[in-house]
Amino acid sequence: MTQFEFVELISPFKDKVFRLAKRLLVSTDEAQDATQDILLKLWDKKVNLKNYSSVEAFAMTMTKNHCLDQLKSKRASNLTLVHSNYRDNASGLEQKVEDRDSWSWVEKIMRELPEQQRLIIQLRDIESYEFEQIAEILNMNETAVRVALSRARKTIKEKMIKTHQYGIGNY
């Protein structure tokens, strides 16, 4: 595989690798480093990439594992989950403030979800992966992915309703 062929192969999903790394590691610098590490690992495995049914799913699995390893290491013990992809430039100022407030509550609730549910929400609702791809990336069956996603969404919905009904201080 030539360098050009490799770049063509990874270009469609390299931003997704970065976003998943950013979701897990929070720090843009850490996410960029992780993305570079993953791309180097893929380059090292370039001869065998044709053996994978989905190089993208393989790369996302590598990213997840790499980031989780970093989170477990001593140097990354202070990192938390944050989502910063949300932007809506068409809204008025009032709507933007309201959206930002709601999104900050969703982020706070997501940080409290079990790790697996956070990953599934990221992959399905933010990255738009299919259930089959998520199951492959997370080494789960599709039914378990659907159940975990449903539970995560339900938890977020219930806590958002509770937050808005009873006020922010009673979350």
Side-chain angles (χ1 to χ4, degrees):
M1 176 180 291
T2 67
Q3 183 178 355
F4 179 76
E5 291 169 331
F6 178 78
V7 170
E8 277 196 344
L9 178 67
I10 58 120
S11 287
F13 61 82
K14 74 176 185 182
D15 289 342
K16 290 181 181 182
V17 167
F18 172 77
R19 286 192 302 268
L20 180 60
K22 178 106 168 74
R23 160 68 68 196
L24 291 168
L25 299 174
V26 176
S27 164
T28 300
D29 291 339
E30 290 281 334
Q32 288 171 336
D33 290 347
T35 301
Q36 191 172 31
D37 290 346
I38 296 305
L39 295 179
L40 284 171
K41 288 178 184 178
L42 286 171
W43 175 253
D44 290 341
K45 296 176 184 292
K46 68 183 177 282
V47 175
N48 298 322
L49 290 180
K50 62 182 175 253
N51 298 333
Y52 292 96
S53 59
S54 172
V55 175
E56 181 177 338
F58 177 61
M60 296 302 282
T61 301
M62 287 175 61
T63 303
K64 174 199 70 157
N65 292 337
H66 179 81
C67 293
L68 292 178
D69 288 346
Q70 282 199 322
L71 287 170
K72 290 175 187 171
S73 75
K74 292 178 185 174
R75 70 180 177 91
S77 63
N78 63 341
L79 299 177
T80 58
L81 260 166
V82 173
H83 178 65
S84 61
N85 291 345
Y86 182 78
R87 283 176 186 64
D88 185 4
N89 297 328
S91 299
L93 179 61
E94 220 173 284
Q95 185 64 43
K96 284 182 180 183
V97 170
E98 213 172 284
D99 290 346
R100 192 173 301 135
D101 181 56
S102 290
W103 187 247
S104 73
W105 278 104
V106 171
E107 287 177 326
K108 184 176 181 176
I109 294 165
M110 282 181 66
R111 282 192 297 269
E112 296 174 357
L113 291 174
E115 182 178 288
Q116 188 178 70
Q117 289 181 5
R118 284 192 309 251
L119 285 170
I120 291 170
I121 288 270
Q122 172 74 26
L123 293 170
R124 179 67 182 169
D125 292 342
I126 297 168
E127 301 298 339
S128 302
Y129 278 91
E130 297 297 323
F131 289 107
E132 181 181 338
Q133 294 170 305
I134 297 169
E136 185 178 339
I137 291 167
L138 298 179
N139 196 25
M140 299 171 64
N141 69 48
E142 284 185 55
T143 304
V145 170
R146 289 177 190 276
V147 168
L149 178 64
S150 175
R151 288 179 180 160
R153 287 176 176 167
K154 182 179 177 186
T155 299
I156 292 169
K157 179 181 175 183
E158 287 173 352
K159 290 187 177 185
M160 285 298 291
I161 289 169
K162 188 176 178 181
T163 299
H164 285 81
Q165 279 181 341
Y166 300 113
I168 292 170
N170 294 320
Y171 161 71

